[in-house]
Structure formats: structure tokens, C-alpha cells
Amino acid sequence: MLAYDVLLERARGRDTLVARFVGPPPELLPLATLIAQADIVLSTVTTNVALRVANDCVPLLRAGQLYVDLNATSPSVKRETASVIARSGADFVEGAILSAVGVAGADSKVLLCGARAAEAAAVLSQRGLNVHAYATEIGKASSFKMLRSVFSKGVEALLIECLLAGRRAGVEDALWEEIVATMDAASFRDVGGNWVRTHATAHGRRYHEMLQVVDVLRELRVEAPMTAATVALFERSTRVALKDAFPAPPADPTDVTAALDARIESPADRNQEQ
């Protein structure tokens, strides 16, 4: 494995990189030298420079190479990056890393999209990565990752808001243990599925409960954007009469989202009415 990092161009940057390695280190090379020797180029940079890096690589790439963009950019940026790489003659493969690399390491699940996604997945899997061909259409993997972040980053933000309030109330440790016990009591398929299924009939009651929660957070002087959004979501389910569609909680959680989807106007619909 070959590697390039901008730190190589800075004083003591090589030493900084070497200190980060776990196991046998890759061979550190200048970018042009690396690309000249590589069959597959993996782009793993910060999101804000991903497109610029692709442009920098274009003069160095050649036909037959694979450029795998693993950066956390939106579907539209992935498609724009694919157009940039196409100028080089190399083939573009979109990648989306789903797991937290710091936790899962090489077991981090990666989805690939593109005409040569299956080929890239096979080669990278043989070398010990957890890579899966997902689709041929560029943007699919990024859409999956972005929408997954609604959950993962949302839960992160919700936990911080909850535990901050717990600290202000003097119950942070006990609150954390209760949350852990709740999540460990059953599979998340059961716990999360039950939350979604029972939303069909219990959203009204939960809405009024959350109004009381807002009062408590206000007394604790906790700024609570996640709770405010929760109140708004429960209020919307009440406003669109979601309960009318369900005499009892459905067996399948997706029945709830399907019913909501049918009842919630899209911004385009509202604009047409105006």
C-alpha cells in the first residue's frame, strides 16, 4: 500500500504520520509518484477539499485506473467529482464509509457505487477491507450515508442534550445508566421498531408529555434544539391526523412512515397552492 498526505510537505510531517500508524506502515510517496504506481487510488480527505483534490489528481491519472472517492460528500458533489475524474480517462467509483473507523478499524463497512464498483469491491475485500458493491448509479452510496447520519448524528446530539440536562439536574450518571439499560434490554430492531410502530397511535399523548419536558428544560436553563424538534415532529403527526390511519399500532414500522409520507405535503405542493 502506498500513501500520500499533505503533511509530507510540512516540517516534521512525515514523523507525525509515522507516529499514527498501527501495524506495518504504507510507503509514503509524493502524490505524482504514488498515482503513477497505483492501480486503485483511494481519496480520503476532508469533505471541503475533496473536489479540489480530484482536480489535482486529474493530470496524474490514466485510463484503466480506479479513483475511489471515500469522502463524506453529498450525492451532487459525488457526481460532480465523477465528471472531473472522467477527464483523466480513469474510472470513478463512489465510496461511503458507514462505520466509525476509530471504533471498527478495517471492519468498517464501505459501500461502493459505479460501473466498476463490483470489481473494486472484490479487490479491496481481498485485501482485508469490509467493502460491498451497492449500485452502479453514482450518488446512491452517498445518499445512504447522508440519510444514515440523520440517525447517527441525531442520536449523538440527542444524548448530549439529554445528559447535559441530567448534569444540571444532578442525575447524569443515573440517567446514563438508565439509557444504557433500555438499549441493552432487547435488540434495537425490537426497541427502535416499537418506538416507530407505537408512534402511530401514541404521538398525541407523547406530544403533550414533551411539552412538559420543555418546561423542565427551561427551568434547568438548558438550550434544547433537539427537544424542540421532537415537539415539532409529534405536533406534525397530530396535525396531519396520523392516528386516523391506525386503529392499533401496525406490525411493520414502515407502515407508519408510509402513512406520514402520504399525509405530509411536500414544499412543492405548498408552493403550487400559493
Side-chain angles (χ1 to χ4, degrees), residues 40-44 66-71 78 91-99 108-127 129-145:
I40 300 178
V41 177
L42 307 179
S43 174
T44 55
L66 286 174
Y67 184 93
V68 183
D69 185 312
L70 294 170
N71 305 304
K78 291 286 189 183
D91 292 307
F92 180 85
V93 175
E94 171 197 17
I97 303 172
L98 302 185
S99 312
S108 300
K109 186 174 182 179
V110 181
L111 301 182
L112 299 184
C113 289
R116 296 179 66 186
E119 176 187 344
V123 173
L124 295 173
S125 295
Q126 289 171 0
R127 282 153 178 77
L129 296 179
N130 183 14
V131 181
H132 305 268
Y134 185 58
T136 56
E137 179 184 343
I138 301 298
K140 283 282 189 179
S142 178
S143 291
F144 189 100
K145 179 180 173 65

Side-chain angles (χ1 to χ4, degrees), residues 49-179:
V49 299
L51 189 57
R52 189 179 78 202
V53 167
N55 275 288
D56 290 344
C57 290
V58 165
L60 308 173
L61 293 165
R62 63 182 183 275
Q65 284 178 307
L66 286 174
Y67 184 93
V68 183
D69 185 312
L70 294 170
N71 305 304
T73 55
S74 68
S76 60
V77 172
K78 291 286 189 183
R79 289 188 285 268
E80 186 176 358
T81 306
S83 297
V84 167
I85 295 300
R87 301 200 306 260
S88 70
D91 292 307
F92 180 85
V93 175
E94 171 197 17
I97 303 172
L98 302 185
S99 312
V101 176
V103 176
D107 289 332
S108 300
K109 186 174 182 179
V110 181
L111 301 182
L112 299 184
C113 289
R116 296 179 66 186
E119 176 187 344
V123 173
L124 295 173
S125 295
Q126 289 171 0
R127 282 153 178 77
L129 296 179
N130 183 14
V131 181
H132 305 268
Y134 185 58
T136 56
E137 179 184 343
I138 301 298
K140 283 282 189 179
S142 178
S143 291
F144 189 100
K145 179 180 173 65
M146 295 288 112
L147 297 179
R148 183 181 182 276
S149 291
V150 174
F151 170 77
S152 59
K153 305 304 187 294
V155 170
E156 173 188 339
L158 191 62
L159 281 172
I160 290 172
E161 183 170 293
C162 178
L163 294 174
L164 174 60
R167 174 173 287 270
R168 294 270 176 93
V171 297
E172 182 180 14
D173 290 344
L175 186 59
W176 171 249
E177 292 304 322
E178 174 61 24
I179 292 170

